[in-house]
Amino acid sequence: MVLEQRNLRVMLETAIVAARLAGQRAMEEINYTKVSVKNATELVTQADAHCQKIIIDRIKETYPDHGFIAEEGNQGGIFKQPPRGAEPIFWAIDPIDGTNNFAHGILHFTISIATMFKGEPIVGVIFEPATDSMFTAVKGSEAQLNGRRIEAGNDKMGQFTSIGLDSHFDCENGLPKWVCEIIKRTRHRNFGTTALHIAYVAKGSLIATIVTTPKLWDIAAGAVLAENAGAIMSDWQGGKIFPLDLDSYEGRTFKVITANKEVHPQIVKLIND
Ligand code: IPD
Ligand code: CA
Ligand code: CA
């Protein structure tokens, strides 16, 4: 099966509409949504499930036979529906990336939607409703923010550059040495949404972002954006993350670097030295 650019364009338009609908709903619910604890370690809100349903229902109107992998399933598990037809296409969805922010009324959260063909992300949409920022990418074409081309930068680490870090370091023996180096040599940032960190690498605002425990739906849309913007997404050893066997994917975590091409080798070395 070959996917043509016009098929990808329809997928992109579908993802954009779904993200806007979910974003609108999330903004309506942010001040009264019910919050609970999931898997003993994470917050989840009613809005997460509402937004996920809105997204999947919208995509199914256009693609009733495609598969879905999304964050919010039953009892803290993932939501997974294999494709019904012969097309090896899954949609990877994070209905609210930044739930912890969202649950506390912090407006930094995103909706992240990717289309995946044979285990590779081919369409990516990351939408930040609070700033009306729609990041979009279709494999083989340019990465865009609100319809305008974006590109990763080319700065290496330096005192005026920023690197996005998340909040999940294993600090049993103190902060890892490479984290201290990054804190010393750059202005580190944590927006509380991995998808937004990746989008900001694609836009050249962050030189890199390093994530410790993301799942498929945190990185899939960002992978297309990063690649199209000239950045590199890899594991911590510098190896490829995609393609993945989605038939067997059940929510495993990855260790991911997304960085501009200049700084990527520097960061791989720093983490592994
Ligand atoms: C979280 C955010 C956060 C990252 C967490 C993720 P969620 O996603 O991306 O930045 O540090 O690991 O779980 O739970 O808000 O979708
Ligand atoms: Ca997430
Ligand atoms: Ca989420």
Side-chain angles (χ1 to χ4, degrees):
M1 181 203 169
V2 182
L3 283 177
E4 293 175 12
Q5 274 295 322
R6 68 191 148 90
N7 301 126
L8 300 185
R9 288 279 144 202
V10 180
M11 288 173 185
L12 178 69
E13 288 308 319
T14 306
I16 290 173
V17 172
R20 276 204 189 284
L21 290 171
Q24 194 178 346
R25 179 64 180 258
M27 291 301 273
E28 283 162 15
E29 288 198 32
I30 191 164
N31 291 320
Y32 67 84
T33 192
K34 190 162 168 257
V35 183
S36 53
V37 176
K38 181 172 90 170
N39 300 326
T41 55
E42 294 167 68
L43 294 184
V44 66
T45 73
Q46 275 184 340
D48 290 80
H50 294 159
C51 291
Q52 183 168 299
K53 183 168 180 342
I54 286 168
I55 294 165
I56 293 177
D57 286 353
R58 179 60 195 84
I59 296 169
K60 278 188 174 172
E61 277 177 32
T62 311
Y63 299 108
D65 293 337
H66 285 182
F68 293 89
I69 296 177
E71 182 170 15
E72 311 301 344
N74 289 330
Q75 285 154 5
I78 78 170
F79 177 91
K80 188 162 177 188
Q81 246 173 34
R84 288 200 297 193
E87 291 182 325
I89 297 181
F90 274 93
W91 292 72
I93 299 162
D94 193 340
I96 296 182
D97 185 50
T99 294
N100 208 289
N101 282 350
F102 185 84
H104 294 102
I106 299 171
L107 284 163
H108 297 299
F109 68 90
T110 51
I111 287 105
S112 180
I113 303 176
T115 322
M116 304 199 52
F117 178 62
K118 295 184 179 166
E120 290 268 4
I122 50 169
V123 169
V125 164
I126 295 173
F127 179 48
E128 186 181 42
T131 57
D132 197 26
S133 299
M134 182 68 77
F135 294 87
T136 55
V138 168
K139 199 172 173 66
S141 179
E142 61 189 32
Q144 297 187 336
L145 167 56
N146 295 338
R148 286 173 186 257
R149 182 179 193 156
I150 51 172
E151 283 180 280
N154 49 24
D155 285 332
K156 290 194 177 169
M157 272 191 265
Q159 60 171 327
F160 303 121
T161 61
S162 296
I163 292 191
L165 299 176
D166 68 15
S167 345
H168 306 290
F169 296 112
D170 177 2
C171 292
E172 287 299 304
N173 304 304
L175 264 188
K177 204 167 139 244
W178 64 265
V179 178
C180 297
E181 276 301 305
I182 284 174
I183 292 173
K184 255 195 296 187
R185 290 166 62 181
T186 69
R187 308 287 176 99
H188 68 286
R189 298 285 183 263
N190 183 358
F191 302 154
T193 142
T194 293
L196 194 63
H197 277 181
I198 298 171
Y200 270 64
V201 174
K203 180 171 172 279
S205 304
L206 297 176
I207 59 170
T209 183
I210 303 162
V211 239
T212 51
T213 56
K215 297 184 176 170
L216 173 67
W217 45 81
D218 296 307
I219 56 171
V224 198
L225 270 164
E227 184 181 331
N228 289 14
I232 299 173
M233 181 182 281
S234 74
D235 65 23
W236 282 11
Q237 275 67 48
K240 277 183 181 250
I241 293 169
F242 301 103
L244 287 172
D245 175 9
L246 295 182
D247 294 322
S248 67
Y249 184 78
E250 290 298 337
R252 68 168 267 233
T253 60
F254 302 89
K255 296 220 173 288
V256 177
I257 302 169
T258 312
N260 76 43
K261 282 192 173 128
E262 294 297 319
V263 80
H264 185 268
Q266 209 184 359
I267 289 174
V268 172
K269 187 167 181 317
L270 192 63
I271 293 181
N272 292 291
D273 267 356

